[in-house]
């Protein structure tokens, strides 16, 4: 039976829009690029190196340099320019009280994820907080999920599920033979969840709880 729930962080536990968009904007200014706010939102979710390469044609080295500039801002200010989704505290408490093991699997560097969850008093709900490495050697969502499963000593994929708001969460879960629940209150839409074949889709925390109780 499913007893372990992996959560994405950005767009699933918290709304990080302000901090991420400010940090990306700060990085892009080093290359003389001014970007509209709406275009900065696409940085929420995917690994940063990939986004700088995909959206601005940066090569690997330049993208890595841009991530360095991003982190200059993010590590000081952007980290806490973030909002916990309404009702999340109570939602996590309810799952914990029901006996579920909760963990985080995020493409954000692990050290940042830990600081954010501690700052918002959510870290105590999670058995493990797993994220990317600072050198991007572990940044793809599938690799982070594999690392989380290893940390949790999970060998049967049927005992765990992944919850996230973007295609990377769905793809990463399936790469690890996990079922994936796509949530619609974050930064992915219904079309994206259907295209990448989320096993379940929930529009809010009430629907998410109902889905989890069926697994």
């Amino acid at each position: 039976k499913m007893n372990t729930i992996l959560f994405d962080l950005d767009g699933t536990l918290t709304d990080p829009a302000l901090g991420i968009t400010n940090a990306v904007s700060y990085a892009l200014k080093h290359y003389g690029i001014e970007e509209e706010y709406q275009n900065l939102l696409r940085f929420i979710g995917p690994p940063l190196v990939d986004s700088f390469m995909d959206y601005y044609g940066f090569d690997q080295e330049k993208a890595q340099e841009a991530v360095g500039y991003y982190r200059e801002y993010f590590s000081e200010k952007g980290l806490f320019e973030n909002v916990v989704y309404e009702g999340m505290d109570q939602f996590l408490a309810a799952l914990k009280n029901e006996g579920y093991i909760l963990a985080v699997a995020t493409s954000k560097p692990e050290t940042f994820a830990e600081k954010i969850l501690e700052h918002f008093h959510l870290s105590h709900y999670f058995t493990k907080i797993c994220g990317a490495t600072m050198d991007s050697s572990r940044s793809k969502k599938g690799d982070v999920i594999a690392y989380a499963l290893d940390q949790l000593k999970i060998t049967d994929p049927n005992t765990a599920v992944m919850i996230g708001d973007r295609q990377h969460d769905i793809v990463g879960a399936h790469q690890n033979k996990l079922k994936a629940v796509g949530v619609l209150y974050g930064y992915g839409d219904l079309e994206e969840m259907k295209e990448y074949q989320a096993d379940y889709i929930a529009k809010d925390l009430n629907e998410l709880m109902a889905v989890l109780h069926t697994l």
Side-chain angles (χ1 to χ4, degrees):
K1 183 168 165 53
M2 192 282 287
N3 64 356
T4 304
I5 305 169
L6 305 183
F7 287 87
D8 171 45
L9 175 56
D10 292 343
T12 302
L13 294 173
T14 67
D15 182 350
L18 186 60
I20 288 178
T21 55
N22 282 345
V24 174
S25 183
Y26 174 86
L28 290 174
K29 279 176 184 162
H30 286 81
Y31 304 97
I33 300 169
E34 293 282 344
E35 188 58 276
E36 291 177 25
Y37 176 77
Q38 207 55 37
N39 290 335
L40 298 171
L41 292 172
R42 59 194 176 183
F43 277 80
I44 300 172
L48 287 168
V49 169
D50 293 357
S51 293
F52 281 116
M53 291 169 72
D54 291 346
Y55 303 133
Y56 300 101
F58 288 12
D59 61 22
Q60 184 85 29
E61 191 179 345
K62 191 173 178 182
Q64 205 69 56
E65 180 187 61
V67 170
Y69 291 132
Y70 171 99
R71 287 179 181 157
E72 275 178 22
Y73 181 94
F74 194 82
S75 62
E76 294 292 318
K77 296 179 186 169
L79 210 57
F80 308 123
E81 292 176 331
N82 203 333
V83 180
V84 178
Y85 284 115
E86 192 175 344
M88 186 58 68
D89 203 319
Q90 298 89 327
F91 179 79
L92 295 172
L95 289 174
K96 197 82 174 155
N97 289 340
E98 288 179 30
Y100 289 104
I101 296 162
L102 310 182
V104 172
T106 174
S107 294
K108 191 180 268 343
E110 198 167 289
T111 179
F112 289 168
E114 288 169 349
K115 285 177 182 172
I116 289 165
L117 291 166
E118 280 167 21
H119 178 77
F120 290 111
H121 309 294
L122 296 178
S123 57
H124 64 284
Y125 292 120
F126 300 104
T127 301
K128 294 284 180 185
I129 297 170
C130 301
T133 50
M134 289 297 261
D135 65 0
S136 297
S137 58
R138 181 177 68 242
S139 66
K140 303 279 188 209
K141 185 49 74 90
D143 295 339
V144 174
I145 292 172
Y147 166 67
L149 295 175
D150 183 58
Q151 291 289 301
L152 292 160
K153 299 181 170 47
I154 290 173
T155 53
D156 180 357
N158 293 315
T159 62
V161 66
M162 176 72 201
I163 298 170
D165 68 313
R166 296 302 310 275
Q167 66 195 53
H168 312 83
D169 303 306
I170 311 306
V171 172
H174 290 162
Q175 285 170 345
N176 287 280
K177 299 183 170 55
L178 296 188
K179 285 198 163 60
V181 186
V183 295
L184 301 182
Y185 56 78
Y187 287 87
D189 57 19
L190 184 60
E191 201 175 297
E192 183 174 334
M193 292 302 147
K194 285 183 171 174
E195 182 183 346
Y196 289 89
Q197 300 177 325
D199 300 281
Y200 306 92
I201 298 171
K203 77 171 189 294
D204 55 29
L205 293 181
N206 288 335
E207 281 194 7
L208 182 55
M209 185 64 86
V211 166
L212 292 172
H213 284 155
T214 68
L215 301 178

